[in-house]
Every structure is written in structure tokens, then in C-alpha cells.
Amino acid sequence: MHSRMMVVGVTAALALTATAGFAEYHGRYAPVPTIIDNDTRIDVNNLDMWVTNHGSIAYDLPNSASGLIFPKGTTRTAVYAAGLWVGAKIRGRESEGAQVTVGEYSQEYAAGVINPDGTPANESSGRFQVYKVNRGETDSEDFLNWPVADGAPTNEDGSPQILGDQTLWSVYNDADASKHTNDAGNSDPLGLEVQQTAFGFARQAPLGNMVFVKWKFINKGSNTLDDTFVSVWSDPDLGGAGDDLVGCDTLLSLGYCYNATNEDELYGSAPPAVGFDFFQGPIVPSPGDTAYVSGREVPGYRNLPMTSFNKYINGTDPSSPVESYNYMNGLKPDGSAYVDPSGRVTKFFHAGDPVTETGDLDQNPADRRLMLSSGPFTMAPGDTQEVVCAIIVAQGSDRLSSIGLLKQYDAQAQAVFDINFNIPSPPPRPSVYARAYDREIDLIWGTEADNDTQVSDQLDQQFNHQGFNVWQGESAAGPWKRVATYDVQDSIALIYSDVFDAGIGGSQKLVVQQGANTGLSHHLRLDSDQILGGPLVNYRDYFFAVTAYSAEGRHIQPYFVGLNQVGWQTETLENPQVPVTVTPKSGTGVLEVAAVHSSGSSDGRVDVAYVDQSSVTGNRYRVNFVPNSDPEAHDPFLWQLTNLGNNEVVLEGQTQQTEDIDDPVVDGVIVNVVGPPLAVKSTTFSTDDARGRWISFVDAGLTGFSGGIGLGNEFFGSSVPAAEYSRTYEVRFSTNEADWSDACTLRRDNGYLFGGIGKFPGSVWDVTGGTPRRVNVCFVENSTEAKPANLRWDPDDSGQGAREYLFLMASDYNGGVDYGDDGETQPGPSVRSGSADAVFAAWLRTRPGHSFLESPATFTWAANYINTEADVFEFSTAKVGSAAGTVIDNDMDKIRAVPNPYYNQSTYELNQFDRVIRFVNLPNVACTIRIFNLAGDLVRTLEKEDANSSFLRWDVQTEGSFPIASGIYVYHVEAKGLGTKTGKMAIFVEKERLNRF
């Protein structure tokens, strides 16, 4: 156990301490910094790590607690503290011994730069904070105030240089002699300014399991620093602190900590391993060699690797700069050499292999410290060195497989680092929204990844977005189970790749993506627990994530098992799981409204679904349509959405017009425009004759009447604009020749040339809008010996109906004279395609068992009335609680405490130390809950500010964080704008006892 006390006198980030303050660090006292930034964390992937502006990393200094959480979202920790140590001898003063500056439990660095006169800058200046920027975010305060003048790295255009997907930058120095009070340092300043960059990648392991830290340090003092060493120091505390072992891999420049058993107090039977690696060491002169600094070649130099690895145990910490410098040199604290069990003198403690149980292995687990160092090198005044370290966590199936996986991660990451991270990124992570129903949940995710392509010319690779994986987690941090995959419909389905298996110490080919060419979707509704089985339970938290993955397309290879191709072999990239929590609840839980069709006559509709209550504006919106400039596009009209509150077009160029929820989320809602396709909607044949329908179809693949009737543009083409197909025609067959129509006739057997004016047995009427208008009709004959041309439309009952195609035109009836023998205005193929105004086209035949025209009849053909420029839809949004019908589950009577009675436990509790009661069915407005005892004393006040949440958690403690006693309590709920609710609950807890020893 550590003898650690809470830090005294440390305030929040960037705040001055009220007093000088002292804190106890492993039994040694040191002054608390007067200005600190300890609340900033790098959290872009599976790690969640504290980063400060004064030399400490991976240390939660205000709470004197472990500062590297793995996996992110849990309470499990892999590192207690870490920091940068630098030691050197001052030229001309070698007899005084080495000087060392340390970043440990107390820090000998101060925030800020070193001034030109060699004095430290005023560390209380707010500009010396930790700056945090994310890729793609250009409007954050840190991005806009990037401290270029203080040395923060920039791109060629002067914008912040974002390494990976998240970058944290700060500057600090060791020039303030009053800071040098840590026993391990406690010497004069070296005069170093340190510019620190921490960065990480948002993706799956291995890069998703590591954080890089770049230290650029500049000698701004007046002394030449000889025999300089730089060290990464750490107190790992991997899970439990007392069962740690350490080791190193000299080939990888890797120092690591692992568990002594498979029973860790935090990680259980599968403890991870944590490693520290010099990905880029300091450079030293070396003729003929080439060093690399930030991806740039430096001829005549080489990068030093890890030159020593050392350890010590809690209680044997270095108590002087001499001892610290000896540790940095790979010596024992008294300066004697380390001799491994084989009798070999070495500067690398425990460089054996625990997996194979060979070589020098650590023994007797305890609370370890480790140091990996690199040197010596010289720094004259003005010289700069740059060192890059990575902190890596790998979790295998047990403690030893975690070491093998750690080394695999390290080797892969080093290869990526060596090409300066010039690698493709995974597709953008889709935004995910979760809607709660009664024992059901609805997941909706965005289109950010759709059609994404990432190219690396250096690696000759191109990754294309391939699909989405939907995951359910046992907790917010996993482990995760894949519950669905939606992938692009193409030839790629199952993807195989070489995956390192720590258990066998090598790679094997495994399925890494389980696509099935189902097509992309952005919506999934679930009613069952995919991890525990059975139905979803109301008021229980469930954790889901949606990731996007891509496939490398330039070097994809078929993968065979025997003679059968079972999938494709290629690389795949996937972003990490980012959890969303959803809690099913009684009631629909979801508001959906229909927009008003304010003008136009289409068959379309606009549905509006609320998915993010906190972003709803309360404004009115309009959906309208504009012509698609692409003549080959499937959708002749595109829709756009305008926020009428500010007349801003918030969506435009949208083509999605389906029943599915695949549209983007805007201002907290999904606007789902449902428009019918350009196609035949219905056909109806009616006759008074008992023999019924006497006409049938030939399946030509058209959209109506089983493929026999379609729009004009479906057959030989048409000049009719898309908007003018929204019509209904009646074909009125008559046995009275006086009612027949003169019609333009084409001869298929003569190249579709004009064959004369023939007769159609009836008339055709446009009945759109209720006022009938007679229109022209044209048809095709195919003269054969079995059925010679007769200038009359009379298809027979053969399989092809004698190929007497029929066209119903847009023009007013005039006997078909406008469709004469000019070869340009007739409906027909090749050069004539699209030249005639055919609204409908048909390939029909006489129904077998019937005779042609055996009775008068009306055959009605209706096209879909598509959304056009004439159509406008409008709707209003309303903030939760601001208008009737806009509050989800606003019935105050449904509010209740769960469980009630409370018998010292609930299903919401994660461990034996938790005490959790929930107030559920809360309305989606701000709520205040006050809890009283029966004497009327106020016990606790709870506030709910999240509009999307329907519950509040109570830890069954008083306002002063004391456990409450068993008894009856009264709760009073006040919902803003809705009213109040009062209820009672019974609580039974075990008797609290204070043990004294």
C-alpha cells in the first residue's frame, strides 16, 4: 500500500493556490506549485491520461491518484504517475557532480517559457495552460488562441499543427531555483525550456492503445551541458500497486510493467501490460549516419536508443541528484554496476523474456518504479534536442500474453512512427443518437463516413469506407460485442487479415470484418439484450457504439480455403468505440411529427423525428424542391431545408427520399422526406361484363401492371419533363367504332417508320385534377405472316401480344397528325428516342381465354405524384416543455423511485461499494429533486439539467456525503414549466460501524 495523502492547497486548473501548501509524496514533502493545469486529459482513444504544464504526465495530482485510465470510461488504472527527468554535468564544474531536474510526485518545472535574459517567465500567466485541439475542430478557444509565439508547432499556413487526431501542447522550464526541492533532484537549474506535445490517434489498437509525448527541450541557459541523459520515469501501479514486475526489451527500446499473477485487484484474471518506448531518442554526431527528428533527416547524426533501463522499489527512491544520475546511467544508486543472474554486467535491468521464462527476470513483486534513459549527449547554449516517447497499454488473455501483445503493438507503432505517421486514417466516426422506447431502443447514426476515401501515396494504399459495425458493451468501456454489420453492396464481404495472437506468439489469418453485402444503413432498432440475452429491461442502462470501417482497395486479394474463395484478404481500418448510454422506459419516449403540405399536390410527405432535444431551436422550417442538374440522376428533384427563423439553408442537395431514417441530424431533428419514385403508382381495369378483365401484360420490366405498363421514359424515352409525369389517364375502350381514336402507327418490321394513321379502339383522357382532357395515342405494329399489319391496335393472346406497343401522349387529341412521317416526332427507339411526348407506354396482350375487346371497359393508369418545385412542406419545432405535444413523457404521475423499497442493493450498482437509487420517468426538462426525512429536514438536493435524460441517480448519501440511515423518506420533484410530484420511499441499509485499530 502507498502512504499517499491528498494534496493540500492545490486548486482547480489555472487557479492560484491560497497558501504555499505542502503535500506528502511517498513520505517526502515538497511545495505545491503555485500555478498548475492539472485538469486537462488526452482522451481521444482507449486511454484517458492526465497531461500538465509542469512536467508531470499520467498523474491525477489534485486527487493524488492514478493518472492513466485504461480502458477509458472505467475506474481501472494502469499508471499512477510519470514524468520527464533530465540530468547533466556542467562543463567546467564537473567536480560539483551532476545536476538533475525531475518531474515526479512533485515537479521541479514551472509553467512557461524562459525569457531572453535567462529568467523564467511569470508562470501565473494564463497563456501557459495546456492547449487541447482535435482534428477537424477549427473554432475552439484553444485552436483560435494557439500560442505560436511561445513555440507551439504550426503548419505552413500558420494554423495549429495537429498530430494524430488530438494534440495537447504546453511549455515549461526548470529555470526557477525555488522549485528544485524534490529529493531526487534538489540541484541548480539546468536552464532548460521544455515544449511538450502529447498526441493520440482515434482508432482501434494498436495506435488506439497508446499516447505519444514529444519533448522538445532547449538549452536557454549559459552553460554547456555535458554527459546529458534524458529519462522517462514512471510509478506504474498497474492495477493493484503491490504485485508489479518490470522488464525491458533492448531491441525495441521498450521498458514495461506487468502483473506478477493473473489475479489483479482491478483487472482480475487478464491484467494488461503497460510500456514506455523511446520512439525517437536524442541525436548525437555520427559521421555517415542519418538521424530523424519529426520525420526530417539530419545527416551526420544518429538517434540514440534506450541506453539503460532501471528500477527501484517504493521506499528506495533516490534521495539525491547523485543517486538519480546513477540510475539514469544504468547503475545502482551507489554507482556500482548491475550484474544480471548470468554474471554479465549490464545497464539494462531484467532484459529477459517473461513469456518464455528465459534470461534476467524480475522477482519478488512490489510497488515498482521504472526509468528508461537515453544518453549521453552534449547541449551547448541554444542547442535543441527532441525526444518522443510512447505510453502503450496492451491487454491479452492473461498477464504474459499481454507482454507479447505489447511488444507487437510497439513494433507496429514504431514502423508507423518511422514514416512520420503518413498513413491513412479510419473513416470519420459517425455521430450516434439513441432513442428510448418501452423495452426497446432506437439507434441512429450519421453519414459522416459514407463515401470516405483515404490515400497514402507513400505506402501506395487507398482505403475506402466499407461499412458500419454496431456494438453493445458490457459497460461504457466494454468489452464489446458486435451485434450488426452493414456494408457496401459490392464484391467485398468477409475481410481476412493477419492478426497477432499473443497466446501463440505469432500471427494467424482471422476474419476481421464480417460484412455480408447487405447495403449501408444508418438505423437499428433493438428489443433484446445482445449480451445477457432476453428482452431489454426498462430503466436499465445499455451501452452501444457504432464504428465505421474501411478496406484497403489497391492490394485486395481473394482468400481461399481449399478451392473455395471465402472472402478477401486486405487491411482494414476502424475507429474506436465511443459509447452512448440509452435507458429504455415506459411510454414512447420519442416525439415524431408530420410536416404540413402547404403547397403542391405530390404523394410525398415529410416526417420529423426528434433525436437530440438539447439542440432543438424552436424555429419554423420549410422543405422545398429544386431540379437536379444531373440529367442521369435517379432523383429528378433535390430537396433543401431552410430554417425560417434566420432564413438559413441548413441542408441542400439532398437526394434521400425513402422510408428509412438515413438523413442527417440538423438542429436536433431528422427531417425524413418521403417521396414516391418516378413510376407507375396503380392500374385499374373496370368493366360491367361478368367475364371481367380481357387484357393482360407482357413483362417488359416496367413499373406497373406486372411489368407491362410504365412511364414514357421507361420504354423508348420521352420528352416529357419529370414533373409532368404526375398524371392519371383513363383508357376508355369502346365497342362502338364512332368512339375510336385516330392514332399514329409505327411499323416495327420497317425500322419503326411511320406506317400511317390507324385506329385505336377507344379514347384516352387525362383526368388529372378532375377535368377530363382527351389526348393523342400512338401504337406500334409488327407485320408478320401470322398477323399482318392492319392499322388497328389489337394485340393477340400470344406471349408477346404481337408486339403492338402502346403510347399515351401528353398532347391534346387531334387524330395523331402531329406524329407524322418526319421521323423525329414519333415515339420509337434509336434516333427518335425521347423525341415524342409519351406519358405512358405499354406492352399488352389479350388475356388468354378471352377475346380482344370483348366488352367496353375503362383502364385507369396513374403515375406517382412526385415531389416537384410546386411542393412545399413546413413544420415547427418546439423546445421541450415549451408547447403542448412537445414534452416527451411529461406525465408527472409516472415519476417514481426505483427500487422502492430499497433493500441495501439495486441492479444499478456496479460493485459492493455502490449505493444507487434512481428517480425514473422524469420529463425532458430541468428537474430538481429534494429528499426529506420524516422530521422535515432536507437530506439531499439533486439537479437534472440534461434534457435528454429521463432519470437521476442518487448515491443514497446526504448533502455532506454521509450514508443515510434506514427509514422512510419523502421526495419532492419540481419540473420546470410542468409542475411537481411528491412521493415516499422506504430505505433499508446495513448498520455502519467504524472500526478502530
Side-chain angles (χ1 to χ4, degrees):
M1 294 293 291
H2 290 297
S3 58
R4 294 173 176 148
M5 295 176 60
M6 293 294 291
V7 175
V8 178
V10 178
T11 63
L14 298 179
L16 293 175
T17 55
T19 62
F22 282 81
E24 182 184 0
Y25 303 94
H26 289 227
R28 299 190 310 281
Y29 286 86
V32 173
T34 57
I35 181 72
I36 57 175
D37 185 349
N38 288 324
D39 288 347
T40 307
R41 288 141 72 167
I42 184 166
D43 54 3
V44 71
N45 52 34
N46 297 327
L47 306 187
D48 184 356
M49 188 181 86
W50 272 256
V51 177
T52 76
N53 63 345
H54 52 95
S56 172
I57 60 172
Y59 181 31
D60 179 6
L61 193 150
N63 296 306
S64 195
S66 296
L68 174 58
I69 297 171
F70 172 82
K72 180 177 66 178
T74 69
T75 58
R76 298 192 289 273
T77 53
V79 174
Y80 181 80
L84 174 69
W85 291 24
V86 181
K89 295 178 180 178
I90 306 302
R91 181 172 295 182
R93 291 160 44 190
E94 290 85 357
S95 62
E96 299 177 9
Q99 297 177 190
V100 177
T101 300
V102 305
E104 198 205 36
Y105 311 109
S106 67
Q107 289 73 41
E108 297 187 324
Y109 300 98
V113 300
I114 294 180
N115 295 321
D117 63 0
T119 61
N122 180 5
E123 67 173 341
S124 64
S125 171
R127 81 174 198 256
F128 298 135
Q129 68 181 60
V130 177
Y131 292 80
K132 180 176 179 177
V133 289
N134 293 291
R135 182 170 300 281
E137 296 179 2
T138 59
D139 57 354
S140 68
E141 185 175 344
D142 285 358
F143 186 95
L144 297 174
N145 294 286
W146 194 243
V148 178
D150 293 333
T154 62
N155 299 312
E156 292 182 0
D157 62 0
S159 62
Q161 184 182 74
I162 302 176
L163 302 177
D165 295 299
Q166 186 180 85
T167 296
L168 281 65
W169 188 89
S170 61
V171 60
Y172 48 87
N173 69 86
D174 84 331
D176 186 347
S178 68
K179 303 287 186 186
H180 291 250
T181 58
N182 188 301
D183 289 346
N186 200 15
S187 53
D188 291 338
L190 295 168
L192 294 178
E193 177 180 297
V194 183
Q195 298 174 6
Q196 174 181 284
T197 305
F199 59 98
F201 292 82
R203 60 175 69 200
Q204 302 282 354
L207 285 181
N209 275 36
M210 63 185 70
V211 169
F212 295 88
V213 183
K214 177 190 292 185
W215 289 290
K216 177 181 180 181
F217 43 99
I218 308 167
N219 184 359
K220 289 195 173 182
S222 58
N223 298 315
T224 296
L225 308 181
D226 286 327
D227 295 328
T228 308
F229 285 84
V230 58
S231 300
V232 179
W233 168 91
S234 179
D235 175 2
D237 286 11
L238 181 65
D243 56 357
D244 291 348
L245 298 171
V246 298
C248 69
D249 188 316
T250 58
L251 296 179
L252 295 173
S253 289
L254 172 70
Y256 57 88
C257 175
Y258 61 103
N259 224 60
T261 70
N262 287 322
E263 290 299 329
D264 183 76
E265 65 182 75
L266 291 184
Y267 288 103
S269 61
V274 60
F276 299 80
D277 187 321
F278 276 121
F279 277 80
Q280 176 187 300
I283 62 173
V284 294
S286 182
D289 286 331
T290 299
Y292 293 87
V293 178
S294 294
R296 304 185 312 273
E297 294 184 355
V298 184
Y301 287 81
R302 65 182 177 91
N303 293 97
L304 289 175
M306 176 177 70
T307 56
S308 72
F309 177 79
N310 218 319
K311 73 161 188 186
Y312 56 90
I313 301 170
N314 184 15
T316 65
D317 308 67
S319 58
S320 70
V322 173
E323 291 185 356
S324 297
Y325 193 71
N326 285 334
Y327 274 130
M328 300 170 97
N329 275 270
L331 304 173
K332 294 180 179 181
D334 61 3
S336 61
Y338 172 67
V339 181
D340 70 15
S342 70
R344 183 171 63 96
V345 175
T346 178
K347 292 187 175 183
F348 298 96
F349 283 60
H350 309 314
D353 186 352
V355 177
T356 59
E357 297 184 342
T358 57
D360 178 14
L361 301 180
D362 197 4
Q363 305 291 333
N364 303 318
D367 184 6
R368 293 283 196 266
R369 317 286 186 266
L370 63 82
M371 292 173 62
L372 55 156
S373 305
S374 186
F377 55 92
T378 298
M379 292 190 73
D383 279 358
T384 296
Q385 284 281 3
E386 185 177 281
V387 171
V388 180
C389 170
I391 303 174
I392 311 167
V393 184
Q395 187 169 24
S397 57
D398 56 35
R399 69 186 189 97
L400 295 182
S401 67
S402 294
I403 299 174
L405 190 61
L406 175 72
K407 292 183 178 183
Q408 179 72 11
Y409 284 0
D410 184 68
Q412 293 176 359
Q414 181 70 58
V416 173
F417 180 86
D418 290 343
I419 60 172
N420 202 27
F421 298 107
N422 186 11
I423 56 174
S425 299
R429 180 178 63 84
S431 52
V432 183
Y433 303 89
R435 304 195 294 178
Y437 293 83
D438 185 7
R439 290 169 292 185
E440 289 185 313
I441 65 164
D442 195 28
L443 294 174
I444 301 166
W445 55 93
T447 60
E448 295 90 339
D450 293 14
N451 303 312
D452 178 73
T453 296
Q454 300 284 335
V455 177
S456 171
D457 292 331
Q458 181 173 352
L459 297 177
D460 188 31
Q461 289 183 316
Q462 175 174 307
F463 284 81
N464 304 311
H465 175 231
Q466 186 64 29
F468 296 107
N469 284 321
V470 183
W471 308 84
Q472 182 180 344
E474 291 185 19
S475 69
W480 297 96
K481 178 182 179 182
R482 188 184 65 88
V483 299
T485 296
Y486 301 97
D487 64 324
V488 176
Q489 284 185 307
D490 57 11
S491 62
I492 304 173
L494 292 179
I495 297 178
Y496 289 78
S497 189
D498 293 324
V499 178
F500 180 80
D501 186 332
I504 64 173
S507 295
Q508 58 181 332
K509 208 169 298 296
L510 298 174
V511 176
V512 290
Q513 299 295 352
Q514 301 183 38
N517 287 325
T518 56
L520 293 181
S521 178
H522 301 81
H523 176 229
L524 175 63
R525 189 155 173 166
L526 291 168
D527 60 4
S528 61
D529 188 329
Q530 303 297 302
I531 291 179
L532 299 178
L536 296 177
V537 178
N538 283 349
Y539 311 114
R540 176 179 293 173
D541 288 344
Y542 293 91
F543 309 98
F544 289 90
V546 180
T547 58
Y549 70 89
S550 58
E552 203 283 321
R554 290 182 178 175
H555 306 290
I556 187 170
Q557 298 291 331
Y559 180 63
F560 290 87
V561 174
L563 298 177
N564 299 317
Q565 181 182 340
V566 296
W568 296 88
Q569 179 178 342
T570 190
E571 292 184 56
T572 179
L573 300 176
E574 184 173 2
N575 41 57
Q577 292 93 348
V578 176
V580 294
T581 305
V582 57
T583 309
K585 57 185 177 181
S586 60
T588 62
V590 176
L591 176 66
E592 295 182 353
V593 297
V596 175
H597 198 170
S598 56
S599 65
S601 57
S602 76
D603 294 330
R605 72 176 193 274
V606 173
D607 298 328
V608 182
Y610 284 63
V611 297
D612 184 9
Q613 294 288 343
S614 61
S615 299
V616 173
T617 66
N619 292 338
R620 190 165 181 79
Y621 293 81
R622 173 183 295 147
V623 173
N624 68 290
F625 302 84
V626 296
N628 193 334
S629 60
D630 181 1
E632 304 298 325
H634 175 75
D635 296 306
F637 292 91
L638 306 176
W639 63 270
Q640 62 185 27
L641 177 68
T642 303
N643 182 340
L644 298 180
N646 55 17
N647 287 319
E648 178 185 355
V649 177
V650 293
L651 280 177
E652 59 183 342
Q654 300 297 302
T655 61
Q656 187 68 35
Q657 297 192 46
T658 69
E659 299 280 352
D660 199 7
I661 303 179
D662 277 347
D663 294 293
V665 177
V666 176
D667 294 344
V669 299
I670 290 179
V671 180
N672 187 213
V673 176
V674 181
L678 200 61
V680 173
K681 175 169 58 177
S682 63
T683 58
T684 306
F685 189 96
S686 60
T687 178
D688 293 335
D689 194 297
R691 290 172 292 181
R693 175 167 59 86
W694 47 264
I695 202 162
S696 187
F697 61 90
V698 177
D699 186 0
L702 306 178
T703 55
F705 199 47
S706 299
I709 297 176
L711 302 182
N713 66 350
E714 296 182 59
F715 206 74
F716 286 155
S718 174
S719 61
V720 174
E724 297 183 20
Y725 280 113
S726 298
R727 301 187 185 189
T728 301
Y729 276 19
E730 286 184 358
V731 180
R732 301 174 181 175
F733 291 109
S734 176
T735 55
N736 183 353
E737 293 191 19
D739 297 328
W740 290 9
S741 300
D742 290 333
C744 168
T745 304
L746 306 177
R747 290 283 297 275
R748 180 177 182 274
D749 58 304
N750 196 23
Y752 292 96
L753 293 178
F754 180 66
I757 298 295
K759 288 291 185 179
F760 176 77
S763 57
V764 179
W765 298 81
D766 182 349
V767 296
T768 308
T771 302
R773 175 181 66 91
R774 191 174 183 182
V775 298
N776 281 309
V777 60
C778 302
F779 63 88
V780 170
E781 286 193 296
N782 186 42
S783 186
T784 64
E785 182 177 349
K787 189 178 185 304
N790 59 1
L791 291 177
R792 177 178 172 179
W793 188 77
D794 57 348
D796 60 23
D797 62 357
S798 65
Q800 295 184 334
R803 290 188 179 272
E804 300 214 353
Y805 313 143
L806 182 63
F807 302 92
L808 312 185
M809 318 306 288
S811 57
D812 291 341
Y813 177 71
N814 61 3
V817 297
D818 291 334
Y819 305 95
D821 192 18
D822 60 7
E824 294 297 330
T825 58
Q826 305 158 5
S830 66
V831 297
R832 304 180 184 85
S833 179
S835 61
D837 58 343
V839 175
F840 290 98
W843 187 349
L844 304 174
R845 64 189 181 115
T846 299
R847 190 177 186 186
H850 295 261
S851 60
F852 178 76
L853 202 64
E854 68 183 17
S855 68
T858 299
F859 201 1
T860 304
W861 303 359
N864 282 327
Y865 285 27
I866 66 171
N867 291 319
T868 70
E869 290 175 286
D871 294 285
V872 175
F873 296 82
E874 292 187 353
F875 64 92
S876 292
T877 62
K879 289 182 177 293
V880 178
S882 64
T886 66
V887 177
I888 302 174
D889 285 349
N890 63 355
D891 186 353
M892 301 291 290
D893 291 335
K894 292 182 179 179
I895 298 173
R896 57 194 178 100
V898 179
N900 189 8
Y902 174 79
Y903 291 109
N904 204 47
Q905 64 176 353
S906 74
T907 58
Y908 307 128
E909 296 167 357
L910 300 178
N911 55 56
Q912 69 268 32
F913 304 108
D914 271 356
R915 298 288 182 269
V916 180
I917 294 175
R918 277 189 177 175
F919 296 94
V920 301
N921 286 338
L922 296 173
N924 290 352
V925 296
C927 295
T928 300
I929 300 178
R930 295 177 177 88
I931 303 166
F932 302 87
N933 60 25
L934 289 182
D937 299 322
L938 178 63
V939 175
R940 187 69 178 271
T941 300
L942 305 172
E943 299 282 352
K944 183 182 85 71
E945 299 177 352
D946 182 2
N948 293 312
S949 176
S950 64
F951 66 88
L952 259 183
R953 180 185 186 275
W954 180 33
D955 58 7
V956 201
Q957 293 185 358
T958 67
E959 207 73 63
S961 299
F962 292 103
I964 69 165
S966 299
I968 305 297
Y969 291 82
V970 176
Y971 62 88
H972 178 268
V973 182
E974 180 182 353
K976 184 178 180 180
L978 294 180
T980 62
K981 162 71 181 290
T982 302
K984 294 181 180 180
M985 55 183 167
I987 299 177
F988 301 94
V989 295
E990 63 185 357
K991 185 176 181 180
E992 297 288 340
R993 291 183 174 87
L994 295 178
N995 295 320
R996 297 183 179 180
F997 298 93

